[in-house]
Amino acid sequence: MKILQTIEGVHRIFDTQGSTPLLVTCNDLNDWVCKYDKFPKYLFNELIAAEFANVFEIKIPETALIKVKSEHINLTKFPQLNLGWFDKVCFGSLYLDNSKEIDYTTMSMFEEKSFRDKIADKNDFLKIALFDIWMANEDRNHNNFNLLLYVSPEKLNFFYAIDHVNIFNSSFLDYGIAELTEDDSIIKTDLAKILFGKNKKINEIVDNLVENFYLYTIECENKLDEILSLVPETWNINIEQIRQRIIENLFTDEWKRQCETNFREFVQSFILN
């Protein structure tokens, strides 16, 4: 994972419910959404989820580690910031200009068939939902999609998954792992129904996603040590402890089977019925 550093002052703070990330410009001359050491474990969650999402072939913004220079933090302009949060390297996601965050204001667009026809890799929506079930991500649901709709140069639309600070039931696996409720899944949304409610191949789509799910999780387990080696020492994460917790919770056959069952039941309940 590449390491970047800021080259000018912070542009803005995103007013979100959680980690309130920054928009910064780095020495690659790109703009990045930067999350900082306000909640150290959240940085780890973002990193591990991003790396696992790449294995799942889920589209996410490019990621990097970012050093935010203290002279680029204007405490007069942003008094809610603390310079101490930036002593450690931050986690960054590439800012996608041609994208819009999905919420209820965008729902009317999806109701138009001509718009839906421009969505490439539509099944990614369900793949992300299954990924969330496996990672116990409690923060992608009908109230907060945490999805970007990215418009490519070819004028095709793609789903991009963002914001994974609340994986592991928001607890860093301190208490094991628990199943998501139906209200914690984007499958229980009007958007899921719009996208797949009339799709006669939904059962085939689900079967293919589940089959690949088992392959992806095996690859994630095989790459776990490599991924954990990316975690900066300054984050003060007990790597051996979290490694053991991940193995004991995410990679058991019992958990994977439960994830499959929940995924199939959610699709049956909220898309097919």
Side-chain angles (χ1 to χ4, degrees), residues 30-47:
N30 288 314
D31 289 341
W32 293 79
V33 178
C34 177
K35 294 189 176 181
Y36 41 92
D37 188 34
K38 188 177 181 181
F39 305 105
K41 292 180 180 179
Y42 284 179
L43 302 181
F44 174 86
N45 286 0
E46 288 283 13
L47 188 152

Side-chain angles (χ1 to χ4, degrees), residues 12-205:
R12 60 177 285 203
I13 296 180
F14 293 95
D15 187 18
T16 65
Q17 296 177 355
S19 49
T20 57
L22 314 177
L23 182 65
V24 300
T25 301
C26 291
N27 54 330
D28 65 343
L29 304 183
N30 288 314
D31 289 341
W32 293 79
V33 178
C34 177
K35 294 189 176 181
Y36 41 92
D37 188 34
K38 188 177 181 181
F39 305 105
K41 292 180 180 179
Y42 284 179
L43 302 181
F44 174 86
N45 286 0
E46 288 283 13
L47 188 152
I48 196 80
E51 294 299 319
F52 282 170
N54 285 330
V55 172
F56 270 67
E57 299 180 301
I58 289 172
K59 297 175 184 65
I60 60 170
E62 181 185 350
T63 61
L65 299 175
I66 297 177
K67 296 178 179 178
V68 179
K69 293 185 176 181
S70 58
E71 60 262 35
H72 294 152
I73 303 169
N74 187 333
L75 295 180
T76 301
K77 184 177 180 181
F78 303 115
Q80 63 270 55
L81 297 179
N82 183 324
L83 288 179
W85 294 338
F86 302 93
D87 290 339
K88 301 174 183 178
V89 67
C90 302
F91 179 87
S93 300
L94 185 66
Y95 181 75
L96 300 178
D97 280 319
N98 297 325
S99 66
K100 180 175 178 58
E101 191 160 358
I102 295 173
D103 56 27
Y104 281 104
T105 67
T106 62
M107 207 60 60
S108 59
M109 297 189 303
F110 289 96
E111 293 173 350
E112 299 292 331
K113 184 178 184 302
S114 58
F115 181 81
R116 294 198 303 275
D117 288 343
K118 294 180 182 179
I119 301 175
D121 300 336
K122 195 178 301 181
N123 296 345
D124 282 356
F125 184 92
L126 291 178
K127 185 193 290 188
I128 292 167
L130 178 53
F131 180 76
D132 286 341
I133 291 171
W134 178 59
M135 295 289 289
N137 180 15
E138 297 178 331
D139 196 31
R140 193 174 357 254
N141 49 58
H142 64 97
N143 286 321
N144 186 22
F145 282 90
N146 278 333
L147 290 174
L148 297 178
L149 192 68
Y150 172 71
V151 182
S152 72
E154 295 77 25
K155 305 303 180 184
L156 294 174
N157 299 321
F158 295 89
F159 291 117
Y160 272 65
I162 59 171
D163 198 351
H164 297 95
V165 298
N166 290 317
I167 61 171
F168 305 148
N169 303 115
S170 311
S171 69
F172 212 60
L173 298 175
D174 293 321
Y175 312 101
I177 199 163
E179 302 168 29
L180 293 187
T181 68
E182 59 191 37
D183 291 322
D184 293 325
S185 174
I186 53 172
I187 297 176
K188 190 183 179 182
T189 60
D190 292 339
L191 182 52
K193 192 78 171 180
I194 291 170
L195 291 173
F196 299 101
K198 296 181 180 179
N199 192 322
K200 296 180 180 179
K201 295 184 177 181
I202 184 65
N203 288 323
E204 179 183 339
I205 292 169

